Protein backbone atom coordinates (compact mmCIF):
# COMPACT_ATOMS: atom_id res chain seq x y z
CA UNK A 1 0.00 0.00 0.00
CA UNK A 2 1.30 3.46 -0.88
CA UNK A 3 1.96 5.65 2.12
CA UNK A 4 2.40 9.38 2.59
CA UNK A 5 4.74 10.32 5.43
CA UNK A 6 5.06 13.49 7.45
CA UNK A 7 8.54 13.99 8.85
CA UNK A 8 8.54 14.82 12.58
CA UNK A 9 12.10 15.81 13.47
CA UNK A 10 13.28 13.75 16.46
CA UNK A 11 9.72 12.56 17.07
CA UNK A 12 8.92 15.89 18.78
CA UNK A 13 5.83 17.84 17.72
CA UNK A 14 3.95 20.67 19.41
CA UNK A 15 0.19 20.40 20.06
CA UNK A 16 -0.30 23.29 17.61
CA UNK A 17 1.61 21.51 14.83
CA UNK A 18 -0.22 18.23 15.45
CA UNK A 19 -3.56 20.02 15.33
CA UNK A 20 -2.60 21.59 11.97
CA UNK A 21 -1.79 18.13 10.64
CA UNK A 22 -5.08 16.75 11.98
CA UNK A 23 -7.00 19.57 10.29
CA UNK A 24 -5.23 18.89 6.96
CA UNK A 25 -6.15 15.21 7.18
CA UNK A 26 -9.77 15.98 8.12
CA UNK A 27 -10.05 18.44 5.22
CA UNK A 28 -9.26 15.52 2.90
CA UNK A 29 -11.92 13.30 4.42
CA UNK A 30 -9.62 11.12 6.49
CA UNK A 31 -10.68 9.91 9.93
CA UNK A 32 -7.37 8.60 11.28
CA UNK A 33 -3.58 8.78 11.03
CA UNK A 34 -0.84 6.32 12.03
CA UNK A 35 2.69 6.53 13.40
CA UNK A 36 5.82 5.03 11.84
CA UNK A 37 8.85 3.28 13.29
CA UNK A 38 11.07 6.34 12.73
CA UNK A 39 8.81 8.56 14.83
CA UNK A 40 7.01 9.98 11.79
CA UNK A 41 3.31 10.35 10.95
CA UNK A 42 1.78 8.07 8.31
CA UNK A 43 -1.33 8.52 6.18
CA UNK A 44 -2.13 4.92 5.17
CA UNK A 45 -5.25 5.82 3.18
CA UNK A 46 -3.36 8.23 0.96
CA UNK A 47 -2.94 11.96 1.17
CA UNK A 48 -3.31 14.29 -1.81
CA UNK A 49 -0.40 16.64 -2.46
CA UNK A 50 -0.92 20.13 -1.05
CA UNK A 51 0.20 23.46 -2.44
CA UNK A 52 3.42 24.61 -0.82
CA UNK A 53 1.85 27.53 1.04
CA UNK A 54 -0.76 25.19 2.59
CA UNK A 55 1.93 22.82 3.87
CA UNK A 56 3.51 25.56 5.97
CA UNK A 57 6.73 24.29 7.49
CA UNK A 58 5.57 20.65 7.48
CA UNK A 59 7.73 18.26 5.45
CA UNK A 60 5.58 15.72 3.60
CA UNK A 61 7.09 12.82 1.66
CA UNK A 62 4.68 11.50 -0.96
CA UNK A 63 4.68 7.94 -2.38
CA UNK A 64 6.59 8.82 -5.56
CA UNK A 65 9.36 10.60 -3.61
CA UNK A 66 12.40 8.88 -2.15
CA UNK A 67 13.91 11.84 -0.28
CA UNK A 68 13.16 12.61 3.31
CA UNK A 69 14.72 10.63 6.14
CA UNK A 70 13.54 11.41 9.62
CA UNK A 71 15.82 12.09 12.58
CA UNK A 72 15.13 9.63 15.41
CA UNK A 73 15.85 10.77 18.97
CA UNK A 74 15.30 9.53 22.51
CA UNK A 75 13.93 12.91 23.62
CA UNK A 76 10.75 10.94 24.33
CA UNK A 77 12.56 9.06 27.14
CA UNK A 78 13.99 12.06 29.00
CA UNK A 79 12.57 12.69 32.48
CA UNK A 80 10.47 9.50 32.48
CA UNK A 81 13.02 6.68 32.07
CA UNK A 82 16.65 6.29 33.20
CA UNK A 83 18.98 8.58 31.34
CA UNK A 84 22.53 9.98 31.19
CA UNK A 85 22.68 12.68 33.87
CA UNK A 86 23.74 15.59 31.69
CA UNK A 87 21.39 14.81 28.78
CA UNK A 88 18.23 16.88 29.31
CA UNK A 89 15.22 17.35 27.10
CA UNK A 90 16.32 20.90 26.34
CA UNK A 91 19.69 19.65 25.05
CA UNK A 92 17.87 17.38 22.60
CA UNK A 93 15.71 20.28 21.41
CA UNK A 94 18.73 22.57 20.89
CA UNK A 95 20.54 19.88 18.89
CA UNK A 96 17.48 19.11 16.75
CA UNK A 97 17.03 22.81 16.07
CA UNK A 98 20.48 22.90 14.40
CA UNK A 99 19.18 20.65 11.59
CA UNK A 100 17.78 23.26 9.21
CA UNK A 101 17.66 21.17 6.01
CA UNK A 102 16.00 17.78 5.72
CA UNK A 103 18.68 15.04 6.01
CA UNK A 104 19.22 12.70 3.07
CA UNK A 105 20.60 10.02 5.41
CA UNK A 106 18.99 8.42 8.46
CA UNK A 107 20.16 10.03 11.70
CA UNK A 108 19.74 8.68 15.25
CA UNK A 109 20.51 10.88 18.30
CA UNK A 110 20.15 8.83 21.46
CA UNK A 111 20.92 8.22 25.09
CA UNK A 112 22.47 4.74 25.58
CA UNK A 113 20.91 4.31 29.03
CA UNK A 114 17.35 4.15 27.73
CA UNK A 115 15.78 1.15 25.98
CA UNK A 116 12.72 2.70 24.30
CA UNK A 117 14.42 4.10 21.18
CA UNK A 118 16.86 1.99 19.09
CA UNK A 119 20.47 3.19 19.02
CA UNK A 120 21.88 1.81 15.78
CA UNK A 121 19.16 1.89 13.09
CA UNK A 122 20.45 5.04 11.36
CA UNK A 123 23.20 5.67 8.84
CA UNK A 124 24.73 8.08 11.38
CA UNK A 125 24.14 7.19 15.03
CA UNK A 126 25.10 9.81 17.64
CA UNK A 127 25.18 8.24 21.12
CA UNK A 128 25.77 10.20 24.31
CA UNK A 129 29.03 9.53 26.20
CA UNK A 130 29.68 9.95 29.92
CA UNK A 131 31.46 13.23 29.18
CA UNK A 132 29.06 16.15 29.27
CA UNK A 133 28.08 17.36 25.79
CA UNK A 134 30.14 14.73 23.93
CA UNK A 135 28.85 11.96 21.69
CA UNK A 136 30.11 8.80 20.05
CA UNK A 137 29.33 8.54 16.35
CA UNK A 138 28.68 5.14 14.76
CA UNK A 139 28.43 5.17 10.98
CA UNK A 140 26.98 2.59 8.63
CA UNK A 141 26.37 4.21 5.26
CA UNK A 142 24.27 2.55 2.54
CA UNK A 143 26.13 -0.45 1.05
CA UNK A 144 28.56 -0.62 3.98
CA UNK A 145 28.84 -4.17 5.30
CA UNK A 146 29.56 -3.19 8.89
CA UNK A 147 29.28 -0.30 11.31
CA UNK A 148 32.35 1.83 12.07
CA UNK A 149 33.06 4.09 15.03
CA UNK A 150 34.22 7.65 14.28
CA UNK A 151 37.69 8.12 15.86
CA UNK A 152 36.78 11.02 18.19
CA UNK A 153 33.88 12.19 20.37
CA UNK A 154 31.75 14.97 18.88
CA UNK A 155 30.60 18.10 20.71
CA UNK A 156 26.83 18.60 21.07
CA UNK A 157 26.73 21.85 19.14
CA UNK A 158 28.79 20.38 16.27
CA UNK A 159 26.45 17.42 15.59
CA UNK A 160 24.45 19.04 12.77
CA UNK A 161 27.61 20.56 11.25
CA UNK A 162 29.23 17.12 11.26
CA UNK A 163 26.17 15.54 9.71
CA UNK A 164 25.91 17.98 6.79
CA UNK A 165 29.62 17.69 6.03
CA UNK A 166 29.41 13.88 5.95
CA UNK A 167 26.28 14.10 3.78
CA UNK A 168 28.21 16.34 1.37
CA UNK A 169 31.12 13.87 1.27
CA UNK A 170 28.81 10.91 0.61
CA UNK A 171 27.12 12.70 -2.30
CA UNK A 172 30.41 13.85 -3.91
CA UNK A 173 32.70 10.86 -3.35
CA UNK A 174 32.09 7.69 -5.37
CA UNK A 175 33.11 5.53 -2.44
CA UNK A 176 34.41 6.36 0.99
CA UNK A 177 35.38 4.53 4.16
CA UNK A 178 35.70 5.73 7.73
CA UNK A 179 39.34 6.81 7.29
CA UNK A 180 38.57 9.00 4.26
CA UNK A 181 35.52 10.52 6.00
CA UNK A 182 37.58 11.34 9.09
CA UNK A 183 40.33 12.91 6.98
CA UNK A 184 37.95 15.04 4.88
CA UNK A 185 35.84 16.17 7.84
CA UNK A 186 38.92 17.10 9.87
CA UNK A 187 40.24 19.12 6.94
CA UNK A 188 36.93 20.91 6.31
CA UNK A 189 35.71 21.69 9.84
CA UNK A 190 37.11 23.44 12.89
CA UNK A 191 35.26 21.60 15.65
CA UNK A 192 35.58 20.96 19.36
CA UNK A 193 36.28 17.20 19.37
CA UNK A 194 37.47 15.06 22.27
CA UNK A 195 39.60 11.91 22.35
CA UNK A 196 37.77 8.63 22.99
CA UNK A 197 39.19 7.37 26.29
CA UNK A 198 37.09 4.21 26.54
CA UNK A 199 34.71 2.28 24.29
CA UNK A 200 30.96 2.79 24.45
CA UNK A 201 29.22 0.53 26.96
CA UNK A 202 25.52 0.00 26.36
CA UNK A 203 23.97 -1.41 29.56
CA UNK A 204 21.19 -3.94 29.17
CA UNK A 205 17.87 -3.16 30.85
CA UNK A 206 14.50 -4.86 30.37
CA UNK A 207 12.23 -3.04 27.95
CA UNK A 208 10.15 -0.40 29.81
CA UNK A 209 6.39 -0.16 30.19
CA UNK A 210 5.57 3.03 28.31
CA UNK A 211 1.77 3.30 28.36
CA UNK A 212 -0.90 4.64 30.71
CA UNK A 213 -0.83 7.49 33.24
CA UNK A 214 2.41 7.47 35.24
CA UNK A 215 3.99 9.73 37.87
CA UNK A 216 6.70 12.13 36.66
CA UNK A 217 8.58 13.84 39.49
CA UNK A 218 6.61 15.22 42.41
CA UNK A 219 3.72 17.13 40.87
CA UNK A 220 3.41 15.95 37.27
CA UNK A 221 2.38 12.89 35.24
CA UNK A 222 3.14 11.50 31.82
CA UNK A 223 0.65 9.68 29.61
CA UNK A 224 1.48 7.00 27.04
CA UNK A 225 -1.23 6.22 24.46
CA UNK A 226 -1.30 3.16 22.24
CA UNK A 227 -3.82 2.05 19.61
CA UNK A 228 -3.86 -1.67 18.85
CA UNK A 229 -4.49 -1.10 15.12
CA UNK A 230 -2.23 2.00 14.84
CA UNK A 231 -5.16 4.08 13.52
CA UNK A 232 -5.46 7.18 15.72
CA UNK A 233 -8.85 8.89 15.60
CA UNK A 234 -8.53 12.46 14.34
CA UNK A 235 -11.40 13.85 16.45
CA UNK A 236 -9.75 12.44 19.58
CA UNK A 237 -6.34 13.91 18.62
CA UNK A 238 -7.90 17.31 17.94
CA UNK A 239 -9.54 17.47 21.39
CA UNK A 240 -6.36 16.15 23.02
CA UNK A 241 -4.34 18.98 21.45
CA UNK A 242 -6.82 21.50 22.89
CA UNK A 243 -6.40 19.90 26.33
CA UNK A 244 -2.61 20.18 25.97
CA UNK A 245 -2.96 23.90 25.17
CA UNK A 246 -5.14 24.35 28.23
CA UNK A 247 -2.56 22.58 30.46
CA UNK A 248 0.34 24.54 28.90
CA UNK A 249 1.95 21.34 27.57
CA UNK A 250 4.35 22.32 24.78
CA UNK A 251 5.51 19.00 23.30
CA UNK A 252 4.07 15.66 22.26
CA UNK A 253 6.51 12.79 21.58
CA UNK A 254 6.09 9.97 19.07
CA UNK A 255 7.73 6.65 19.96
CA UNK A 256 9.18 4.10 17.50
CA UNK A 257 6.49 1.71 18.79
CA UNK A 258 3.70 3.56 16.97
CA UNK A 259 2.43 5.23 20.10
CA UNK A 260 2.89 8.67 21.60
CA UNK A 261 3.67 10.18 25.00
CA UNK A 262 2.45 13.40 26.59
CA UNK A 263 4.76 14.63 29.38
CA UNK A 264 4.16 17.24 32.06
CA UNK A 265 0.45 16.78 32.89
CA UNK A 266 -0.07 18.84 36.10
CA UNK A 267 -1.07 16.84 39.16
CA UNK A 268 -4.21 18.94 39.64
CA UNK A 269 -5.34 18.19 36.05
CA UNK A 270 -4.78 14.39 36.19
CA UNK A 271 -8.45 13.66 36.95
CA UNK A 272 -9.55 15.83 34.02
CA UNK A 273 -7.33 13.80 31.65
CA UNK A 274 -8.62 10.52 33.04
CA UNK A 275 -12.23 11.67 32.52
CA UNK A 276 -11.38 12.73 28.96
CA UNK A 277 -9.88 9.31 28.17
CA UNK A 278 -12.82 7.53 29.82
CA UNK A 279 -15.43 9.49 27.85
CA UNK A 280 -13.59 8.60 24.64
CA UNK A 281 -13.45 4.94 25.65
CA UNK A 282 -9.64 4.87 25.52
CA UNK A 283 -7.97 1.81 27.07
CA UNK A 284 -4.70 2.88 28.74
CA UNK A 285 -3.69 -0.36 30.41
CA UNK A 286 -2.71 -2.79 27.68
CA UNK A 287 -0.52 -5.66 28.85
CA UNK A 288 3.20 -5.63 28.11
CA UNK A 289 2.59 -8.60 25.83
CA UNK A 290 0.17 -6.49 23.77
CA UNK A 291 2.37 -3.39 23.67
CA UNK A 292 5.86 -4.46 22.79
CA UNK A 293 5.49 -5.43 19.14
CA UNK A 294 7.04 -3.71 16.16
CA UNK A 295 5.00 -4.21 13.00
CA UNK A 296 5.29 -2.90 9.43
CA UNK A 297 2.77 -0.11 8.80
CA UNK A 298 -0.47 -0.86 6.91
CA UNK A 299 0.18 -4.60 6.50
CA UNK A 300 -2.93 -6.47 7.61
CA UNK A 301 -1.23 -9.88 7.63
CA UNK A 302 1.26 -8.64 10.25
CA UNK A 303 -1.47 -7.24 12.52
CA UNK A 304 -3.46 -10.48 12.19
CA UNK A 305 -0.39 -12.56 13.05
CA UNK A 306 0.37 -10.41 16.09
CA UNK A 307 -3.25 -10.73 17.28
CA UNK A 308 -3.07 -14.52 16.94
CA UNK A 309 0.25 -14.74 18.82
CA UNK A 310 -0.76 -12.36 21.62
CA UNK A 311 -4.05 -14.15 22.24
CA UNK A 312 -2.41 -17.58 22.20
CA UNK A 313 0.40 -16.56 24.58
CA UNK A 314 -2.14 -14.85 26.85
CA UNK A 315 -4.12 -18.11 27.11
CA UNK A 316 -0.97 -19.82 28.41
CA UNK A 317 -0.37 -16.92 30.85
CA UNK A 318 3.20 -16.43 29.60
CA UNK A 319 5.28 -13.58 31.07
CA UNK A 320 7.20 -11.54 28.49
CA UNK A 321 8.21 -8.69 30.81
CA UNK A 322 11.28 -6.91 29.42
CA UNK A 323 11.09 -8.54 25.97
CA UNK A 324 9.93 -6.99 22.73
CA UNK A 325 8.92 -8.64 19.47
CA UNK A 326 9.01 -7.77 15.78
CA UNK A 327 7.20 -9.09 12.72
CA UNK A 328 8.86 -8.61 9.36
CA UNK A 329 8.94 -9.84 5.81
CA UNK A 330 12.04 -11.89 4.92
CA UNK A 331 14.99 -9.56 5.43
CA UNK A 332 18.62 -10.25 6.26
CA UNK A 333 19.91 -6.67 6.47
CA UNK A 334 20.14 -6.78 10.28
CA UNK A 335 18.12 -3.59 10.87
CA UNK A 336 15.76 -5.10 13.41
CA UNK A 337 15.58 -3.62 16.89
CA UNK A 338 13.55 -6.13 18.87
CA UNK A 339 14.55 -9.00 21.17
CA UNK A 340 12.74 -11.61 19.06
CA UNK A 341 11.86 -11.40 15.36
CA UNK A 342 9.25 -13.44 13.46
CA UNK A 343 10.22 -13.28 9.80
CA UNK A 344 7.76 -14.20 7.04
CA UNK A 345 9.37 -16.08 4.16
CA UNK A 346 8.88 -15.05 0.55
CA UNK A 347 6.83 -17.41 -1.60
CA UNK A 348 8.82 -18.87 -4.52
CA UNK A 349 7.68 -17.15 -7.71
CA UNK A 350 6.72 -20.44 -9.38
CA UNK A 351 4.39 -21.24 -6.46
CA UNK A 352 2.64 -17.88 -6.20
CA UNK A 353 -0.41 -19.14 -8.11
CA UNK A 354 -0.84 -22.08 -5.70
CA UNK A 355 -2.54 -21.52 -2.37
CA UNK A 356 -0.01 -22.74 0.21
CA UNK A 357 0.49 -21.79 3.85
CA UNK A 358 3.05 -19.14 4.76
CA UNK A 359 6.16 -20.20 6.66
CA UNK A 360 8.22 -18.21 9.13
CA UNK A 361 11.70 -17.94 10.61
CA UNK A 362 12.31 -16.99 14.25
CA UNK A 363 15.44 -15.06 15.26
CA UNK A 364 16.50 -13.63 18.60
CA UNK A 365 19.06 -10.96 19.50
CA UNK A 366 22.27 -12.02 21.21
CA UNK A 367 21.60 -11.84 24.98
CA UNK A 368 18.07 -10.74 23.94
CA UNK A 369 19.49 -7.21 23.66
CA UNK A 370 18.55 -5.70 20.27
CA UNK A 371 21.28 -3.06 20.57
CA UNK A 372 23.89 -5.76 19.96
CA UNK A 373 22.59 -5.86 16.34
CA UNK A 374 23.61 -9.53 16.27
CA UNK A 375 20.74 -11.96 15.59
CA UNK A 376 20.75 -15.74 16.01
CA UNK A 377 18.47 -17.94 13.90
CA UNK A 378 16.44 -20.16 16.23
CA UNK A 379 13.98 -21.84 13.82
CA UNK A 380 13.37 -21.79 10.06
CA UNK A 381 10.41 -22.58 7.78
CA UNK A 382 7.98 -22.87 10.68
CA UNK A 383 4.20 -23.05 10.28
CA UNK A 384 2.11 -20.32 11.93
CA UNK A 385 0.65 -22.80 14.45
CA UNK A 386 4.13 -23.69 15.70
CA UNK A 387 5.10 -20.08 16.45
CA UNK A 388 3.51 -19.75 19.94
CA UNK A 389 5.44 -22.80 21.22
CA UNK A 390 8.71 -21.33 19.95
CA UNK A 391 8.02 -17.89 21.49
CA UNK A 392 7.20 -19.56 24.83
CA UNK A 393 10.49 -21.47 24.63
CA UNK A 394 12.45 -18.27 23.91
CA UNK A 395 10.67 -16.36 26.71
CA UNK A 396 11.73 -19.05 29.18
CA UNK A 397 15.28 -18.97 27.82
CA UNK A 398 15.35 -15.18 28.37
CA UNK A 399 14.35 -15.48 32.04
CA UNK A 400 16.82 -18.31 32.62
CA UNK A 401 19.65 -16.13 31.32
CA UNK A 402 18.47 -12.84 32.86
CA UNK A 403 21.03 -11.56 35.34
CA UNK A 404 23.76 -13.88 34.05
CA UNK A 405 24.71 -11.65 31.14
CA UNK A 406 28.11 -9.95 31.15
CA UNK A 407 27.90 -6.40 29.71
CA UNK A 408 30.03 -5.95 26.62
CA UNK A 409 31.31 -2.84 24.96
CA UNK A 410 29.92 -2.02 21.55
CA UNK A 411 33.33 -2.67 20.04
CA UNK A 412 33.31 -6.20 21.45
CA UNK A 413 29.80 -6.77 20.11
CA UNK A 414 30.72 -5.86 16.56
CA UNK A 415 31.42 -8.77 14.28
CA UNK A 416 35.13 -8.69 13.71
CA UNK A 417 36.47 -9.69 10.34
CA UNK A 418 38.48 -12.87 10.56
CA UNK A 419 42.09 -12.48 9.43
CA UNK A 420 43.13 -13.88 6.06
CA UNK A 421 46.15 -16.20 5.76
CA UNK A 422 48.09 -17.11 2.61
CA UNK A 423 49.12 -20.69 1.89
CA UNK A 424 52.45 -20.85 0.03
CA UNK A 425 53.67 -23.69 -2.20
CA UNK A 426 57.22 -24.73 -3.04
CA UNK A 427 57.68 -24.56 -6.82
CA UNK A 428 60.27 -27.37 -6.76
CA UNK A 429 58.50 -30.22 -4.92
CA UNK A 430 54.98 -28.69 -4.46
CA UNK A 431 55.15 -28.90 -0.64
CA UNK A 432 52.80 -26.47 1.19
CA UNK A 433 53.39 -24.03 4.02
CA UNK A 434 50.10 -23.42 5.85
CA UNK A 435 50.26 -20.91 8.78
CA UNK A 436 47.46 -22.84 10.50
CA UNK A 437 49.89 -25.73 11.08
CA UNK A 438 53.32 -24.05 10.99
CA UNK A 439 56.32 -26.34 10.33
CA UNK A 440 56.95 -28.77 13.19
CA UNK A 441 60.06 -30.17 11.47
CA UNK A 442 61.76 -26.77 11.78
CA UNK A 443 60.20 -25.88 15.17
CA UNK A 444 57.94 -23.19 13.66
CA UNK A 445 54.71 -22.98 15.76
CA UNK A 446 51.15 -22.62 14.45
CA UNK A 447 50.01 -19.15 13.42
CA UNK A 448 53.29 -17.85 11.98
CA UNK A 449 52.66 -16.24 8.58
CA UNK A 450 54.96 -17.18 5.70
CA UNK A 451 55.97 -13.52 5.28
CA UNK A 452 57.15 -13.50 8.92
CA UNK A 453 59.53 -16.45 8.43
CA UNK A 454 63.25 -15.75 8.38
CA UNK A 455 64.83 -15.26 4.94
CA UNK A 456 66.97 -18.34 5.69
CA UNK A 457 63.83 -20.54 5.77
CA UNK A 458 63.90 -23.40 3.27
CA UNK A 459 61.54 -26.18 2.18
CA UNK A 460 61.42 -29.03 4.71
CA UNK A 461 61.27 -31.61 1.92
CA UNK A 462 63.62 -30.45 -0.86
CA UNK A 463 65.45 -27.61 0.94
CA UNK A 464 64.56 -25.07 -1.80
CA UNK A 465 65.01 -21.45 -0.56
CA UNK A 466 62.13 -19.28 0.68
CA UNK A 467 62.17 -17.33 -2.60
CA UNK A 468 61.02 -20.49 -4.43
CA UNK A 469 57.62 -20.41 -2.67
CA UNK A 470 54.56 -18.81 -4.34
CA UNK A 471 51.06 -18.04 -2.97
CA UNK A 472 48.71 -20.95 -3.73
CA UNK A 473 45.52 -19.67 -2.06
CA UNK A 474 44.19 -17.39 0.70
CA UNK A 475 42.08 -18.83 3.51
CA UNK A 476 40.21 -17.40 6.51
CA UNK A 477 41.88 -18.06 9.84
Amino acid sequence: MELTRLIVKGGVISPGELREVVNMAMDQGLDSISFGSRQDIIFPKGFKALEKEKMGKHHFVFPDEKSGNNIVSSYVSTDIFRNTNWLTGNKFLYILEQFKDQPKLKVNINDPKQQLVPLFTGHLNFIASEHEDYWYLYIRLPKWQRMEVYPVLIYSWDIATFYYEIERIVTTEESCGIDLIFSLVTEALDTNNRTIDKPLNVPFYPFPYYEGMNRMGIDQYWLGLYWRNNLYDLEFLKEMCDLCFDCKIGKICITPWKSFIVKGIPKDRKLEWEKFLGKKGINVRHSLLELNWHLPVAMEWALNLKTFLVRTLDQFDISTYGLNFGISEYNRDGHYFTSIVVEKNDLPKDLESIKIRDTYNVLYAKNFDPNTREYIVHSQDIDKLELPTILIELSRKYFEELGNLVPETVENNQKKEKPKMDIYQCQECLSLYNPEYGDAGQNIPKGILFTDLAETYCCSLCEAPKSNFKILETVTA
Side-chain angles (χ1 to χ4, degrees), residues 237-250:
L237 292 176
K238 188 174 181 179
E239 290 185 41
M240 189 201 70
C241 289
D242 290 340
L243 192 50
C244 285
F245 281 129
D246 198 32
C247 293
K248 296 181 171 57
I249 294 169

Side-chain angles (χ1 to χ4, degrees), residues 8 24 28 69 89 106 114-115 125 139 145 157 174 180 194 244 255 259 264 267 292 306 333 364 367 385 394 415 461:
V8 181
M24 288 180 196
Q28 297 203 18
N69 280 307
K106 293 177 183 177
Q114 56 79 42
Q115 288 288 106
N125 304 281
I139 303 177
Q145 295 303 308
W157 316 126
E174 287 188 12
L180 179 59
R194 178 173 180 148
C244 285
T255 83
S259 67
K267 184 178 180 180
N292 298 344
K306 177 207 165 177
D333 64 5
Y364 65 98
N367 298 337
L385 296 178
L394 284 173
K415 293 181 180 178
L461 184 61

Side-chain angles (χ1 to χ4, degrees), residues 48-56:
K48 296 173 188 173
L50 296 168
E51 296 173 9
K52 217 166 190 181
E53 57 270 16
K54 289 187 178 178
M55 285 192 196

Side-chain angles (χ1 to χ4, degrees), residues 300-343:
E300 192 174 351
W301 69 266
L303 184 58
N304 291 340
L305 178 61
K306 177 207 165 177
T307 302
F308 162 74
L309 292 172
V310 167
R311 286 178 179 171
T312 308
L313 293 177
D314 193 47
Q315 287 173 0
F316 288 99
D317 201 24
I318 298 299
S319 172
T320 58
Y321 174 74
L323 285 172
N324 45 64
F325 302 83
I327 292 177
S328 158
E329 292 178 313
Y330 181 76
N331 182 357
R332 293 288 183 185
D333 64 5
H335 291 299
Y336 304 123
F337 56 95
T338 56
S339 311
I340 299 172
V341 178
V342 177
E343 198 178 59

